[in-house]
Amino acid sequence: MNYQPSQNDIVNEYIENLSAEIAPLFLEIRACILEAGPEFNESIKWKNCLVYGTTKNHIQTVVGKGKISLIFHDGVAIEDAYGLLEGDGKKARTVRITSPDFNRAALQDYVRQILQRS
């Protein structure tokens, strides 16, 4: 697998252990997030979820069969001009990505908005 390694060895191990079916999509999403939010730290939390954060947790990745869900912990604060955020909870919103041709502009916009509010 060809990717920019994390500074966190546990994250690198997590990535290396992803299935061959989901790893390419995961790496595309990860690269997109880190491009928009290079100040993010990466860590593994909550039953094998990659989490992006600064002084608090911002985005949690959940790998499922054929999809990756991104949970924006303060997603209610995001202006959703793209109509991709799901959920009706008090704080969190989710984006589900199933294809490598996902809307990168939308994801990067969401990431930037989350960072502006932190």
Side-chain angles (χ1 to χ4, degrees):
M1 234 179 305
N2 188 18
Y3 67 95
Q4 179 65 39
S6 175
Q7 294 180 351
N8 186 329
D9 290 337
I10 296 170
V11 170
N12 293 326
E13 183 180 330
Y14 175 82
I15 291 170
E16 290 294 330
N17 287 317
L18 290 169
S19 72
E21 295 80 32
I22 203 70
L25 179 60
F26 185 93
L27 292 173
E28 286 284 329
I29 293 167
R30 178 179 178 262
C32 187
I33 290 171
L34 292 175
E35 182 179 315
E39 58 269 46
F40 274 143
N41 297 311
E42 297 175 289
S43 59
I44 302 297
K45 298 182 179 181
W46 308 303
K47 298 183 181 180
N48 283 338
C49 294
L50 180 79
V51 175
Y52 300 93
T54 54
T55 57
K56 63 180 184 175
N57 299 321
H58 294 288
I59 305 169
Q60 175 183 346
T61 60
V62 179
V63 176
K65 188 168 185 157
K67 71 178 176 192
I68 296 173
S69 298
L70 300 173
I71 301 169
F72 290 84
H73 291 266
D74 195 21
V76 72
I78 296 174
E79 184 178 316
D80 187 12
Y82 303 93
L84 300 177
L85 294 172
E86 301 175 12
D88 57 4
K90 290 182 181 180
K91 288 223 163 231
R93 294 293 180 268
T94 302
V95 173
R96 288 175 176 69
I97 300 174
T98 59
S99 169
D101 56 340
F102 63 92
N103 189 333
R104 285 167 175 73
L107 179 55
Q108 290 189 335
D109 180 50
Y110 297 158
V111 169
R112 288 183 189 111
Q113 286 187 60
I114 284 292
L115 285 169
Q116 288 173 353
R117 287 165 173 75
S118 64

